[in-house]
Amino acid sequence: GAGAEAVCAQVRCPVLVISGSMDVCQDPRRGPRLAELTGGRSVVIEGGGHLVQAASVKVNLLIREFLAGLDEN
């Protein structure tokens, strides 16, 4: 709701939101919306579920790439 959007608007740090396209616990639009509200980056792992970080090595690579990009700025 509006309260969550106001909180997101206050975020001042870099944000990476990783979600799975097959998440049955959260609406798949939620991750990209969170990234949009925080000015962050959204990555959707195709075929990934709710605990996508536990099942995909790609998540570790995405986090490493994200953190390396912070060093460049």
Side-chain angles (χ1 to χ4, degrees):
E5 290 184 12
V7 170
C8 288
Q10 295 177 30
V11 173
R12 298 290 177 250
C13 62
V15 174
L16 172 63
V17 180
I18 303 172
S19 53
S21 66
M22 302 298 288
D23 189 339
V24 295
C25 295
Q26 298 294 323
D27 183 322
R29 298 171 292 190
R30 194 172 196 178
R33 179 69 176 140
L34 176 61
E36 178 185 333
L37 290 171
T38 59
R41 177 178 169 209
S42 173
V43 178
V44 178
I45 305 292
E46 289 302 318
H50 184 66
L51 298 174
V52 70
Q53 74 281 4
S56 176
V57 173
K58 184 173 182 177
V59 171
N60 290 336
L61 298 174
L62 286 165
I63 293 170
R64 182 169 64 187
E65 175 187 293
F66 177 74
L67 294 174
L70 297 180
D71 290 340
E72 295 172 2
N73 295 323

